[in-house]
Amino acid sequence: MRKNIVAGNWKMNNDLSASKKLAKQVVKKVKKAKLKGTKVIIAPTFVNLESVAKATKKSKVSVAAQNMHFEESGAFTGEVSAKMLKSVGVKTVILGHSERREYFGETDELLAKKVDAALANKMKVIFCFGEVLADRKSNKHEKVVESQIKNALFHLEASAFQNIVLAYEPVWAIGTGETASPEQAQDMHAFIRKTLSDKYGNDVADEVSILYGGSVKPANAEEIFSKPDVDGGLIGGAALNADDFFAIVNAF
Ligand code: PGA
């Protein structure tokens, strides 16, 4: 059975004390609640990963990095490797976020290398993709998503998908307050699962968690998560407030 997952992407927000505080609040709420198997992940900035990993250590909350370089070490100023992340207790990484693609020029080819490096280091990957508004308006959204998935992931063996979570994030819905309708999310998630199934078979496709991201809030989470192919969310803005984030976690 694939897992339900709610992951909070803090982006470039929260200094050290704010990160520790928010992490502790999330841990406390998760501990108190009786979650029905929902996995909770939080992703602070690189500099706060170690402190947040410590703050969540004996809890059910996992910590993820927001990015990673594909090389192990060397002359790559400003970059962080999988080994470094693991050395501070981080075993999950978000790759391919649309902000990385848009502002930092990350391509499918580069992301394929990052995915390989993460998996080679036995890390879990939350792999993000999604179309821009123009793609949706011209009815190319499925084609775009299909090529993002194929280009970055379809060189992998089926077994690799045990360590991959997909996150469909339509770019037009990220941070805009405009959410995909639950039907739009479900249609795309079903399409994504079919794309996986065509290549790897139903058994693999059925086991991969597919998260929706883009303006998920306490008010809309329940309806989006109720769709059969939506296995959770990647949450930006609403993950910065423990009450809101937890209300979304609790939406299952
Ligand atoms: P948002 O961000 O929830 O603020 O729209 C989602 C994301 O970028 O992962």
Side-chain angles (χ1 to χ4, degrees), residues 9 11 97 99 169 173-175 213-216 234-237:
N9 173 12
K11 309 192 178 183
H97 191 281
E99 286 148 20
E169 299 204 301
I174 295 177
S215 298
V216 178
L234 182 54
I235 320 301

Side-chain angles (χ1 to χ4, degrees), residues 16 28 34-36 65 73 87-88 97 111 153 156 159 164 176 181-182 188 195 215 248:
L16 177 61
K28 208 166 153 194
K34 291 196 177 70
L35 299 178
K36 289 183 225 111
S73 62
S87 74
V88 296
H97 191 281
L111 291 167
L153 302 178
L156 298 169
S159 60
I164 293 177
T176 58
S181 68
M188 183 57 97
T195 303
S215 298
I248 295 170

Side-chain angles (χ1 to χ4, degrees), residues 166-193:
L166 300 180
Y168 167 58
E169 299 204 301
V171 179
W172 48 272
I174 295 177
T176 58
E178 191 176 339
T179 329
S181 68
E183 291 69 32
Q184 283 174 321
Q186 168 55 28
D187 286 351
M188 183 57 97
H189 284 222
F191 172 76
I192 294 162
R193 212 176 293 287

Side-chain angles (χ1 to χ4, degrees), residues 34-171:
K34 291 196 177 70
L35 299 178
K36 289 183 225 111
T38 306
K39 193 171 166 51
V40 180
I41 302 173
I42 50 180
T45 58
F46 280 134
V47 284
N48 295 320
L49 279 170
E50 185 178 6
S51 310
V52 169
K54 278 186 185 145
T56 55
K57 201 165 183 185
K58 287 192 188 102
S59 78
K60 286 198 175 138
V61 179
S62 303
V63 180
Q66 299 172 15
N67 180 30
M68 190 195 89
H69 195 266
F70 59 86
E71 292 284 357
E72 232 167 63
S73 62
F76 301 100
T77 302
E79 294 293 324
V80 173
S81 73
K83 276 218 156 67
M84 291 166 185
L85 294 176
K86 285 179 73 186
S87 74
V88 296
V90 177
K91 298 187 196 104
T92 304
V93 61
I94 298 171
L95 294 174
H97 191 281
S98 67
E99 286 148 20
R100 298 294 320 166
R101 294 175 190 259
E102 188 180 346
Y103 308 138
F104 304 97
E106 296 201 2
T107 60
D108 292 344
E109 291 68 31
L110 175 80
L111 291 167
K113 291 190 197 175
K114 291 190 176 197
V115 169
D116 289 346
L119 297 176
N121 280 282
K122 300 203 164 19
M123 292 184 72
K124 294 202 184 298
V125 174
I126 300 175
F127 184 75
C128 310
F129 51 85
E131 82 283 0
V132 298
L133 189 58
D135 299 328
R136 182 152 286 262
K137 282 192 167 156
S138 56
N139 210 24
K140 289 199 196 104
H141 46 294
E142 289 188 347
K143 277 242 154 340
V144 168
V145 161
E146 186 180 13
S147 77
Q148 287 172 325
I149 294 173
K150 282 187 173 169
N151 292 341
L153 302 178
F154 274 14
H155 62 288
L156 298 169
E157 306 264 333
S159 60
F161 285 85
Q162 290 167 10
N163 292 311
I164 293 177
V165 170
L166 300 180
Y168 167 58
E169 299 204 301
V171 179

